[in-house]
Amino acid sequence: MPVQLEDNKRTAIAGKLAEMKAFQNLLIANEEILIQACSDRELSNRLEDFIRDDRKNLGIIDTVIVQYGVKAEPSQKVQKEIEMVSEMMQDSELTIFDKVAKHELLKHAQTMSGLLVHKAAQVVGADIEVAIAPLNTVNFENRAHQEQLKGMMESLSTLELTGQSADQGIWARVQDSMAALTGMAGSVVSRTSDEMSIRDVIRMDHLKVKTLFGQIQNTEVPQKLEEYFGQLYQDLFTHSEAEEQILYPALRPHYNDTQKLCDEQAEMKQMLDQIKAMNPTNTVEFKSAVARVMEAANAHMDDEERNVFPYIKDNFGDGQQKQLATEFKTAKSQLQDKRVLSTSSK
Ligand SMILES: [Fe+2]
Ligand SMILES: [Fe+2]
């Protein structure tokens, strides 16, 4: 039996990530409505900050989905829930407190989804942990937003129930809870998607591929070999093709060894196709074939990082490097969509 590229657990996690993206869009839409409805300066300033974070985090979720390498759609149940909440947010009978309270629940659910994806990644594979690492920032900021939303609820309900402003100690308390959170989270560092250069995105891909090779080397279980190889195959194809579409043409006019890089990738793809036709239950044979492609891939990736990266650094401006990163991610995303279409039509 040749290798089956799709794995159910991985597809399920892809569904959860797609759900997070859909909810992130909903959070942004809600915040736009709340800002319009809110007359209190303190509250609207905080909402403005949320929306700035949430737009940036939508970009991070998008990057994570592409890095993860498996695409899915949010379930019908989720789509229905989003429609219901959108209607509720437009409902003129509800108070702003009701809407902020609902928004707080959604933030909570979003934080939980992020944490659950991390838990699942710990069980399924180190390569997934590598791909989803930037979600840490999203989770941390959602938790910080939740603390502020609790303060907003306190302020709004006091006003609704008593007609008077809440005591001013609320925000000091909120600030304290956020400081405690920061202590807990340590230094959560993650660059936003639009700050990444082409070298950063390529390095992230290489790290994921190397992690997958390591996982294959460390298992004797045919079902695990199949799962990791399935992911490796998809990641390496997408990465190579995106480099051929975006990076190599940009290098070609001046960098002498571009053709060599293309030829090496053609050879690797051929090796991968041969392994795909093998049966992973012949573990020894299967793993030694993977070891051969690993050797070729490692040499190729090291060459890119040692020779192509300095070339990019010296010859492309910052803006150009970021632009290439964006184009590279878009190309990968399109290649992944095409693959989803071709597998679902089989
Ligand atoms: Fe390459
Ligand atoms: Fe590469």
Side-chain angles (χ1 to χ4, degrees):
M1 273 267 288
V3 173
Q4 179 72 36
L5 293 182
E6 266 71 38
D7 174 85
N8 288 341
K9 299 184 292 301
R10 285 170 185 258
T11 311
I13 294 176
K16 196 76 188 160
L17 288 171
E19 191 181 297
M20 282 187 75
K21 181 177 172 177
F23 275 117
Q24 192 67 18
N25 276 312
L26 177 66
L27 289 170
I28 294 169
N30 289 352
E31 282 153 9
E32 281 165 353
I33 291 171
L34 291 172
I35 288 171
Q36 291 289 321
C38 186
S39 52
D40 182 294
R41 187 114 197 123
E42 172 79 50
L43 302 193
S44 61
N45 281 347
R46 284 178 189 269
L47 287 164
E48 297 277 0
D49 287 346
F50 287 2
I51 213 165
R52 205 191 47 233
D53 290 344
D54 280 331
R55 287 192 179 124
K56 180 202 70 187
N57 288 340
L58 179 63
I60 293 182
I61 294 173
D62 257 330
T63 303
V64 165
I65 288 174
V66 176
Q67 280 309 108
Y68 179 63
V70 184
K71 290 262 181 87
E73 290 295 324
S75 67
Q76 290 233 314
K77 191 184 93 191
V78 164
Q79 291 178 17
K80 225 167 158 187
E81 188 186 343
I82 288 174
E83 270 169 41
M84 267 165 52
V85 176
S86 304
E87 270 172 36
M88 181 195 161
M89 287 288 160
Q90 306 281 359
D91 189 340
S92 54
E93 306 238 309
L94 296 176
T95 65
I96 184 161
F97 172 83
D98 298 328
K99 295 176 183 177
V100 169
K102 181 69 194 170
H103 194 62
E104 199 270 337
L105 287 176
L106 290 173
K107 280 271 175 203
H108 175 75
Q110 187 76 327
T111 311
M112 283 310 294
S113 295
L115 292 173
L116 295 174
V117 170
H118 272 289
K119 294 287 168 205
Q122 283 167 4
V123 175
V124 179
D127 61 295
I128 304 182
E129 292 185 73
V130 170
I132 66 164
L135 276 186
N136 278 325
T137 312
V138 181
N139 290 347
F140 171 71
E141 284 178 357
N142 278 329
R143 276 294 284 116
H145 289 182
Q146 261 181 278
E147 290 304 322
Q148 297 180 68
L149 282 161
K150 283 183 206 152
M152 282 188 196
M153 285 161 71
E154 189 177 330
S155 158
L156 287 165
S157 76
T158 309
L159 192 65
E160 270 183 32
L161 295 173
T162 68
Q164 289 176 12
S165 297
D167 99 67
Q168 283 306 304
I170 304 177
W171 299 114
R173 291 200 305 277
V174 166
Q175 224 46 51
D176 283 349
S177 331
M178 282 167 52
L181 263 180
T182 315
M184 247 156 48
S187 58
V188 181
V189 192
S190 171
R191 267 171 289 178
T192 63
S193 336
D194 57 356
E195 285 168 342
M196 281 196 265
S197 85
I198 182 74
R199 288 175 293 146
D200 297 321
V201 243
I202 289 186
R203 200 180 284 112
M204 269 163 68
D205 278 2
H206 289 179
L207 177 63
K208 189 173 177 222
V209 164
K210 286 178 184 174
T211 308
L212 280 162
F213 277 127
Q215 285 168 285
I216 294 175
Q217 292 309 313
N218 287 328
T219 186
E220 303 297 331
V221 182
Q223 183 254 326
K224 281 286 172 200
L225 283 176
E226 178 166 50
E227 176 190 334
Y228 296 144
F229 178 78
Q231 189 66 51
L232 177 82
Y233 179 97
Q234 304 189 60
D235 285 354
L236 261 181
F237 260 78
T238 313
H239 176 81
S240 308
E241 278 165 31
E243 281 184 343
E244 284 161 30
Q245 281 179 23
I246 307 296
L247 177 65
Y248 295 172
L251 292 176
R252 194 161 268 127
H254 316 286
Y255 187 77
N256 292 333
D257 286 338
T258 317
Q259 192 53 45
K260 177 179 156 267
L261 294 171
C262 278
D263 295 344
E264 286 170 359
Q265 292 196 159
E267 208 175 311
M268 276 190 276
K269 285 187 228 172
Q270 217 177 5
M271 289 162 94
L272 288 168
D273 272 327
Q274 282 164 2
I275 302 173
K276 184 170 165 255
M278 289 169 71
N279 188 336
T281 51
N282 300 328
T283 49
V284 176
E285 210 183 316
F286 193 85
K287 281 177 71 170
S288 62
V290 174
R292 281 195 294 278
V293 78
M294 177 173 79
E295 207 177 305
N298 279 345
H300 176 89
M301 292 187 288
D302 289 348
D303 180 20
E304 285 178 340
E305 294 188 18
R306 228 176 277 145
N307 300 309
V308 178
F309 281 15
Y311 181 85
I312 295 173
K313 196 164 171 261
D314 294 343
N315 292 281
F316 296 92
D318 272 359
Q320 218 176 343
Q321 291 188 44
K322 285 179 196 161
Q323 178 62 25
L324 282 170
T326 308
E327 288 172 17
F328 185 80
K329 279 189 286 183
T330 309
K332 273 180 65 185
S333 180
Q334 285 167 352
L335 288 160
Q336 288 164 348
D337 290 341
K338 243 204 281 181
R339 203 174 52 218
V340 171
L341 277 179
S342 72
T343 45
S344 58
S345 64
K346 268 178 200 165

